[in-house]
Amino acid sequence: MEISFSGKRALVTGAGKGIGRATALALARCGSEVTAVTRTKADLDSLVQECPSIKPVCVDLSDWDATEQALKDVGPVDLLVNNAACAKLQPFLEVTPDQFDMSFNVNVKAALHVAQIVARGMKARGSGGSIVNISSQASQSALRDHAVYCATKGALDMLTRVMALELGPYQIRVNSVNPTVVMTDMGKIGWSDPEKAKSMTSRIPLGKFAEVEDVVNSILFLLSDKSAMTNGVILPVDGGFLAC
Ligand code: NDP
């Protein structure tokens, strides 16, 4: 299935590493103008070196006002990928308020905020658009030491549904992609230990973790017109984990 984003303008958050970086590069390859948003400048520098057409924006998305300022001149956006997130693992009884606030600020509040900024423009232009929130299998399945992360992703799934409901009349579709473990920097934090990894892969019918490309392909599908009637969907990319 050929997907072209020629003439489209995309914004990807958390585009410095992992899934977000691969998504930004894939969108550019498919002809989209891409704005890459992340907080580590060195990552943006290397991304622009790899793909000079990408427009970098450096901001810490946990800061509402800084985000507002950084994105005020971003221009029209047709495709948004809310990908930035943090995953700090703590046993439930040791969860700290700082960690709770930081996780919700990045994983939920920033996704809402960036989508507001982008969707206001989409609504004003009357041109519609597509938004993909990157959630997780952890939104629907309890994982040890992931209390806050699971809670943020559960909240993000519900945000996706309400956004789909409210933005649909403006032809703005909102869906989420919910991967199983992917061995990015984030994935390695929780799943590098082979015994722990086995405890997860043994619960995945396909018997393996997802590759970055598996997730990117689902994101591109949901951003594209190939999914023109798909709205409010929570799409697992989990080898069947959530089916069991
Ligand atoms: P990575 O940690 O590899 O990359 C995350 C990116 O987001 C980094 O570029 C990071 O920048 C950026 N980011 C984090 N916090 C902020 C912030 N406050 N402001 C701006 N940018 C920020 O993660 P993945 O690629 O693995 O994850 C991408 C998405 O996929 C996330 O939403 C994650 O929850 C989800 N996911 C990942 C899974 C996995 O196993 N990897 C499984 C299921 C879902 P910096 O490095 O500078 O902090």
Side-chain angles (χ1 to χ4, degrees), residues 13-21 37-41 43 59-63 67 82-87 102 105-107 110 133-138 149 152-153 156 177-189 191 212 215:
T13 70
K17 298 184 175 78
I19 294 164
R21 186 182 182 101
V37 182
T38 194
R39 66 175 163 185
T40 300
K41 187 166 177 310
D43 288 339
V59 66
D60 181 344
L61 291 162
S62 69
D63 182 335
T67 300
N82 267 319
N83 164 81
C86 57
M102 172 56 78
N105 279 343
V106 181
N107 301 10
N133 294 325
I134 311 306
S135 182
S136 169
Q137 66 181 15
Y149 184 75
T152 63
K153 294 301 189 180
L156 187 62
V177 164
N178 295 46
T180 185
V181 176
V182 187
M183 276 304 187
T184 59
D185 287 1
M186 181 186 286
K188 285 175 194 157
I189 294 172
W191 305 98
V212 169
V215 183

Side-chain angles (χ1 to χ4, degrees), residues 22 43 86 198-199 202 214 243:
D43 288 339
C86 57
K198 207 165 146 224
S199 74
S202 65
D214 297 323

